Every structure is written in structure tokens, then in C-alpha cells.
Amino acid sequence: MTEKINNDALMALKIAFSYMPKAIEVNKYEYGDDYQRVLDHIESVREILLINDVDPEEIDGEINPNSSPNSCY
């Protein structure tokens, strides 16, 4: 999929992504045999965000500005 999604769908995806675990947090101990599937889902969402010119690393600050740390760069 390389087409952009509408703004409402993009906002919903951003909100959902903000609740997803970070890829570094996903391991076999916590997620069992499903850990690779979880990593694949995270990567799929990241790809759609990038296609829509959204930096996945900046979403937490956009969705939850009061609970995310200030940028240091």
C-alpha cells in the first residue's frame, strides 16, 4: 500500500500506535510465540505512518503532549 489515508483515519492510526508497545519492548518472554507477529504488526503500522509523512518517533509527543518528555535536540 503506497497511497495516503484520510486525516481521520491517520489520527486514529496515530492514537492506536501511541498505545502499541515499542519494538524494543517485544520479546519472546513477554509475548511467547506471538512475538514475531507483534513485531510484524508494529512494522506494518510504522510503514503506513511513514507513507503518510508522519514520524512514528514523534507521535507520543503529538498525542500525549503532557506526558511525553521534552526533546533535547
Side-chain angles (χ1 to χ4, degrees):
M1 178 178 193
T2 58
E3 60 192 51
K4 293 188 177 196
I5 57 178
N6 69 50
N7 287 340
D8 290 338
L10 184 58
M11 182 54 74
L13 190 60
K14 288 178 182 181
I15 292 168
F17 187 76
S18 73
Y19 288 96
M20 292 178 80
K22 305 300 178 220
I24 196 166
E25 299 169 347
V26 177
N27 58 56
K28 195 167 186 174
Y29 176 76
E30 293 286 329
Y31 291 87
D33 292 334
D34 286 338
Y35 81 99
Q36 187 58 55
R37 183 179 54 87
V38 174
L39 288 172
D40 293 343
H41 289 171
I42 293 168
E43 187 57 31
S44 294
V45 173
R46 287 179 61 85
E47 287 176 19
I48 298 301
L49 290 168
L50 290 169
I51 287 169
N52 285 274
D53 302 321
V54 175
D55 181 354
E57 303 304 321
E58 299 294 325
I59 287 178
D60 284 338
E62 180 182 344
I63 301 299
N64 301 307
N66 294 333
S67 64
S68 60
N70 292 334
S71 177
C72 61
Y73 58 90

